[in-house]
Amino acid sequence: MAGAPDLLFALRNNFYIGAFQAAINSGDVQNLSEEDAIERDCLVYRSYIALGSYQLVINEIDSSAATPLQAVKLLASYLLSADNKETVISSIREWLSDAAIGNNPILRLIAGIIFMHEQDYNEALKYTHAGGTMELTALNVQVFLKMNRSDYAEKQLRVMQQIDEDHTLTQLATAWLNLAVGGSKIQEAYLIFQDFSEKYQMTSLILNGKAVCCMHMGNYDEAESFLLEALNKDAKDPETIANLVVCSLHLGKPTSRFLSQLKLSHPEHMLIKRGSTAEESFDRAVQTV
């Protein structure tokens, strides 16, 4: 219906900026169409996943739930335990090859997220490249940046800008691309995160964005203050801890506590898996936002 209010705007926006508990709290939206109710539930359950409540999601989504919710349940299983990875990937491939459900945008999005976790970027793009939603196109931007193809990322960003230049995901994708391009674009990325911090609830995602911009500009003291604030909000966030490792290295401060914390909470994190010199850590960490 033209001109109808977007009843899921607050929920969606909180999810995009990383305000996951606020997203859950704003999920009590009634009088929705069936399609919107499924989107609401997917966003709420994905917020629980972002907070690490994988088992809750697995327990609450039963086998009769709609395909998008089943896909979200698969993501929770994938992240719950490395032992589940093969089964989940096998299931998601089977569902994607099913003509009846294979083109579902949430299923394709979850597939893209899982294959991005696997660092199998070509496989992720196989399911996401056709786009169709702002989230899918934003994920394409992220995947191309991981592949160091900022030229392709920029084409995807242009698609988003044509749809809605002011959309939160368009702004986020612009900041990601600006960080990848570097130079004078870093200041533009910083201003986007600064604008978010003035308009919305301050989150680890926003604080990490500002911190990474500061690190790119050589302002490590300021970056550290943003990261410590982020750590206060979420003591287990892997990107905050990884960025603190990098920041501490550049400030000549010990990193062992943060590395130990990361190893315990996220042994699969790239800083832990690959080992790290100061330069390698910095190069990797500034690509994570």
Side-chain angles (χ1 to χ4, degrees), residues 264-279:
L264 282 170
S265 60
H266 294 85
E268 294 288 302
H269 195 281
M270 57 189 176
L271 280 188
I272 301 302
K273 282 172 82 171
R274 299 183 196 171
S276 56
T277 65
E279 282 305 308

Side-chain angles (χ1 to χ4, degrees), residues 199-259:
K199 285 199 297 196
Y200 306 125
Q201 174 186 336
M202 191 70 87
T203 64
S204 288
L205 182 148
I206 293 170
L207 287 162
N208 272 278
K210 291 171 81 169
V212 170
C213 292
C214 287
M215 286 197 279
H216 269 291
M217 294 186 284
N219 302 333
Y220 296 104
D221 286 315
E222 192 177 357
E224 184 185 40
S225 70
F226 289 137
L227 292 169
L228 291 173
E229 189 181 342
L231 199 65
N232 283 334
K233 290 184 178 296
D234 182 358
K236 293 180 180 176
D237 179 58
E239 298 319 322
T240 302
I241 301 166
N243 284 331
L244 271 166
V245 170
V246 176
C247 199
S248 299
L249 283 165
H250 282 272
L251 290 170
K253 294 184 177 182
T255 60
S256 55
R257 179 165 65 90
F258 297 128
L259 280 169

Side-chain angles (χ1 to χ4, degrees), residues 15 29 39 67 84 107 125 135 158 193 200 208 241 263 265 272 279:
F15 179 78
V29 187
E39 184 187 354
T67 298
N84 298 338
L107 177 59
L125 287 169
E135 265 207 278
R158 283 202 206 109
F193 289 116
Y200 306 125
N208 272 278
I241 301 166
K263 194 170 187 177
S265 60
I272 301 302
E279 282 305 308

Side-chain angles (χ1 to χ4, degrees), residues 28-278:
D28 185 20
V29 187
Q30 304 304 318
N31 304 316
L32 297 172
S33 66
E34 185 184 2
E35 189 180 343
D36 284 350
I38 290 169
E39 184 187 354
R40 173 199 62 199
D41 292 346
C42 284
L43 287 165
V44 168
Y45 284 128
R46 287 173 66 199
S47 297
Y48 276 116
I49 288 172
L51 293 173
S53 299
Y54 310 131
Q55 196 63 55
L56 178 149
V57 173
I58 292 164
N59 292 347
E60 288 206 2
I61 298 175
D62 66 32
S63 56
S64 65
T67 298
L69 286 162
Q70 296 295 344
V72 171
K73 185 175 182 175
L74 274 185
L75 178 61
S77 298
Y78 172 85
L79 294 170
L80 177 67
S81 167
D83 296 340
N84 298 338
K85 284 186 180 184
E86 277 186 38
T87 313
V88 167
I89 289 170
S90 171
S91 295
I92 209 152
R93 284 190 201 278
E94 187 182 328
W95 295 2
L96 288 159
S97 65
D98 182 333
I101 61 171
N103 202 36
N104 182 279
I106 298 286
L107 177 59
R108 291 193 291 121
L109 179 75
I110 298 298
I113 291 168
I114 286 172
F115 287 117
M116 197 169 162
H117 272 280
E118 291 290 302
Q119 297 180 4
D120 191 345
Y121 302 127
N122 287 319
E123 192 69 12
L125 287 169
K126 191 189 293 186
Y127 307 113
T128 64
H129 77 279
T133 69
M134 291 296 269
E135 265 207 278
L136 277 164
T137 315
L139 188 63
N140 286 337
V141 172
Q142 285 185 295
V143 172
F144 282 127
L145 290 176
K146 290 281 188 189
M147 297 171 81
N148 296 314
R149 292 305 306 259
S150 56
D151 51 340
Y152 285 129
E154 188 173 1
K155 286 177 186 172
Q156 293 291 315
L157 176 59
R158 283 202 206 109
V159 171
M160 298 177 76
Q161 287 169 335
Q162 284 166 4
I163 297 166
D164 185 353
E165 197 165 8
D166 297 323
H167 194 288
T168 300
L169 284 178
T170 308
Q171 292 297 305
L172 268 175
T174 303
W176 299 332
L177 182 63
N178 285 341
L179 277 166
V181 171
S184 61
K185 292 288 185 183
I186 301 297
Q187 184 63 33
E188 290 178 33
Y190 183 86
L191 291 174
I192 289 170
F193 289 116
Q194 180 61 33
D195 183 52
F196 279 176
S197 66
E198 289 167 7
K199 285 199 297 196
Y200 306 125
Q201 174 186 336
M202 191 70 87
T203 64
S204 288
L205 182 148
I206 293 170
L207 287 162
N208 272 278
K210 291 171 81 169
V212 170
C213 292
C214 287
M215 286 197 279
H216 269 291
M217 294 186 284
N219 302 333
Y220 296 104
D221 286 315
E222 192 177 357
E224 184 185 40
S225 70
F226 289 137
L227 292 169
L228 291 173
E229 189 181 342
L231 199 65
N232 283 334
K233 290 184 178 296
D234 182 358
K236 293 180 180 176
D237 179 58
E239 298 319 322
T240 302
I241 301 166
N243 284 331
L244 271 166
V245 170
V246 176
C247 199
S248 299
L249 283 165
H250 282 272
L251 290 170
K253 294 184 177 182
T255 60
S256 55
R257 179 165 65 90
F258 297 128
L259 280 169
S260 300
Q261 203 174 339
L262 195 59
K263 194 170 187 177
L264 282 170
S265 60
H266 294 85
E268 294 288 302
H269 195 281
M270 57 189 176
L271 280 188
I272 301 302
K273 282 172 82 171
R274 299 183 196 171
S276 56
T277 65

